[in-house]
Amino acid sequence: MEKSMIVLFVGLIAHVNFPDWQVQSTGVLLRAPGHEATLTIPDTATVRPLNPGDTWIDQYKQSGGGYRVHLDDMHVRLEGTQSVATQKTAAQKRHVPNLGTIAPNCKKLNPAVRARRPDADFAAFFDYRGGTLTPLNYLREMLGFPGTKEADPRCVACYDRLDTALTGPEALLVFSPSGGATHSYWVSPTTLVVANRHPAGGSHFDLYYKVLQSCPPVSPVADGPCTMERCAEVEAMVPDSDCSNSQWP
């Protein structure tokens, strides 16, 4: 039976896939005041080092079990998944704002994003491939982007779910802190949570345009309540968030 890994993306995270990256996609965790970039591994997962004796991850072990890794200034890769491009459901295309449509004249990626290099604008990067992305839960208000091809209001996702098949019994998480040694761990099939959120919530959509070079922001405008499933109703391990995901292109 094929095994899979699930990744939930919560909050201020842009999904980036550029044509010359082929099958690789990246979750870009933007740096914003008060936001905390983390990766949660539940206590039901088995975690073991690629290199015996590597205990780096133990500093993030939680008292109730599992791990909550602080991702500031870190590049993380999820390996051991099928080497194909990630697909987007129709709901993903509709409910996760597309910067390429909102700002069609902004065609170049920020060099730091292309290099997956954390800096003053980008807290962390999470590479993944394969599987399917779909939205789970939505912000309170419908949003539109006046003067663009996404002007019509729609519910906007705050949680995305990636389901991706593994090529073996486990996935490999590779952590590369800026200026530090790389640490790799085998992880059994489970649900990971990649989050970048502020405890009080808030709207920070304009920060997404930093993914692109010299791109003036187009701010969303709220237009009525969203009646689709709200953010706080997702799995208990994921707290509420008022930051949407986004994607490019």
Side-chain angles (χ1 to χ4, degrees):
M1 182 177 177
E2 187 176 70
K3 297 182 181 296
S4 64
M5 185 69 76
I6 295 171
V7 184
L8 302 183
F9 294 96
V10 180
L12 192 61
I13 301 172
H15 298 284
V16 175
N17 179 269
F18 209 59
D20 62 348
W21 289 4
Q22 299 178 352
V23 302
Q24 191 74 60
S25 296
T26 295
V28 181
L29 286 69
L30 288 103
R31 202 180 293 280
H35 283 63
E36 187 176 17
T38 59
L39 184 151
T40 300
I41 306 171
D43 58 358
T44 53
T46 300
V47 179
R48 59 188 183 87
L50 175 65
N51 298 311
D54 186 348
T55 60
W56 172 86
I57 201 170
D58 289 349
Q59 64 185 302
Y60 300 111
K61 188 174 290 185
Q62 301 295 288
S63 58
Y67 301 85
R68 190 166 183 265
V69 182
H70 296 276
L71 297 183
D72 277 353
D73 297 317
M74 198 175 297
H75 177 200
V76 183
R77 302 194 309 275
L78 175 63
E79 298 185 351
T81 60
Q82 291 184 348
S83 186
V84 295
T86 300
Q87 302 300 307
K88 300 173 185 176
T89 64
Q92 179 78 7
K93 295 175 182 178
R94 170 65 178 168
H95 296 292
V96 178
N98 189 306
L99 297 180
T101 303
I102 298 168
N105 295 324
C106 303
K107 299 187 180 300
K108 293 185 177 181
L109 279 179
N110 187 308
V113 174
R114 181 174 288 280
R116 278 80 150 189
R117 184 180 66 247
D119 64 8
D121 293 325
F122 307 108
F125 298 88
F126 184 90
D127 289 352
Y128 60 91
R129 64 186 181 187
T132 302
L133 268 175
T134 193
L136 279 184
N137 299 74
Y138 302 85
L139 301 181
R140 298 174 179 84
E141 300 288 331
M142 293 194 298
L143 301 178
F145 295 82
T148 77
K149 292 182 179 180
E150 296 204 13
D152 61 309
R154 81 284 308 275
C155 293
V156 173
C158 50
Y159 302 150
D160 271 351
R161 171 175 169 146
L162 171 70
D163 288 81
T164 185
L166 300 180
T167 56
E170 299 169 298
L172 187 68
L173 279 173
V174 181
F175 299 91
S176 299
S178 295
T182 294
H183 303 272
S184 302
Y185 296 89
W186 295 109
V187 181
S188 61
T190 189
T191 298
L192 306 173
V193 180
V194 178
N196 188 28
R197 62 180 300 274
H198 191 293
S203 177
H204 309 87
F205 194 90
D206 287 0
L207 294 177
Y208 282 124
Y209 297 92
K210 292 183 177 182
V211 168
L212 307 174
Q213 285 192 50
S214 304
C215 190
V218 179
S219 299
V221 174
D223 191 342
C226 173
T227 59
M228 300 176 77
E229 191 171 5
R230 287 274 300 278
C231 302
E233 297 170 4
V234 78
E235 287 91 339
M237 65 188 298
V238 183
D240 195 9
S241 172
D242 285 334
C243 292
S244 67
N245 277 208
S246 186
Q247 55 190 359
W248 166 265

